[in-house]
Amino acid sequence: MTKTAADYAWFEDDFPDIAEAYCFTLVRGLSPTEVTARLGGRSEAPLRGVTAVVDAAFAQYDLEAGDRQLIAMVPVGDWTLLIEPNGYLGVTEEQALPASAGTSWISHFTNINALGTFLRAEDGVLRLCFDPVFPEDRWGTAPDELLGVMEQIGFHFDDDDDDDPETDLSAPAGFALAEHLTGVAVTPTLLRDTTFTCATVRIP
């Protein structure tokens, strides 16, 4: 059964430190070490729990004068999950498309200004990209392939009546669509209890 945006409504309440600005990416069939290599990253000390990852990411940003982004990674089934607090490398086409060579790359991002991106790449090709707040504006080689699923998940299209920002679930909908495509569920336990492999990547 496909998860909906409501199934991820807990994220903002349970993890407010990262919920305002993040990028979550899932890469099929590559280990954290391989992902780090594809992104030209530098290995860093592992960290336990997403709160420690958030703290380290902001400390790293200050230390490197904003030149490098901390990424926390963990294998989940056939995929590797990447988490970037206050980051956006996963939805940057110049990074994501080359890194998706021979595999699948699913990423979603939001920032403190409520700007967002959902990106799906397959073997270097951009299949789908859109802002979760404005899902009617989609591009890529298969922009309509997931339209029915997106409606089921709870993305609000331009003919919807519910435009109340207090009930906007566009960001949680990104988690649900990523789970639909990968089978990987992001859970509170995963975020709290995981010891993440970490790396830093230069921001282009």
Side-chain angles (χ1 to χ4, degrees):
M1 182 177 178
T2 300
K3 295 280 186 68
T4 69
D7 291 309
Y8 278 97
W10 53 264
F11 178 68
E12 184 174 345
D13 292 334
D14 291 5
F15 298 94
D17 289 345
I18 191 174
E20 285 189 342
Y22 61 81
C23 187
F24 278 67
T25 303
L26 285 152
V27 186
R28 181 174 52 81
L30 297 179
S31 69
T33 299
E34 291 169 321
V35 173
T36 299
R38 288 198 179 200
L39 294 175
R42 180 182 73 202
S43 294
E44 306 288 350
L47 294 165
R48 181 173 174 82
V50 76
T51 298
V53 170
V54 171
D55 292 343
F58 281 97
Q60 186 76 39
Y61 187 89
D62 292 339
L63 181 66
E64 303 272 1
D67 288 339
R68 300 185 73 85
Q69 171 66 45
L70 181 75
I71 298 177
M73 297 167 282
V74 61
V76 185
D78 294 333
W79 298 77
T80 286
L81 172 67
L82 291 71
I83 301 175
E84 301 172 61
N86 199 37
Y88 54 86
L89 294 176
V91 296
T92 302
E93 292 184 30
E94 293 81 358
Q95 296 274 51
L97 297 186
S100 74
T103 191
S104 300
W105 182 284
I106 311 296
S107 188
H108 55 106
F109 148 87
T110 192
N111 71 10
I112 197 168
N113 298 316
L115 298 174
T117 303
F118 188 98
L119 181 148
R120 178 190 183 192
E122 303 280 348
D123 193 16
V125 176
L126 182 66
R127 299 276 292 169
L128 173 65
C129 196
F130 65 95
D131 184 334
V133 177
F134 304 105
E136 64 275 9
D137 183 16
R138 303 175 303 281
W139 60 97
T141 61
D144 298 332
E145 183 178 6
L146 297 170
L147 186 56
V149 173
M150 290 170 63
E151 291 174 337
Q152 180 182 352
I153 283 171
F155 286 99
H156 288 173
F157 291 83
D158 54 2
D159 58 350
D160 286 345
D161 294 327
D162 187 2
D163 293 324
D164 184 355
E166 295 298 320
T167 61
D168 176 30
L169 293 178
S170 55
F175 283 96
L177 184 56
E179 181 177 346
H180 173 80
L181 289 168
T182 66
V184 174
V186 174
T187 67
T189 299
L190 175 67
L191 297 178
R192 287 195 184 102
D193 298 343
T194 294
T195 297
F196 294 96
T197 299
C198 294
T200 54
V201 178
R202 184 168 296 280
I203 298 173

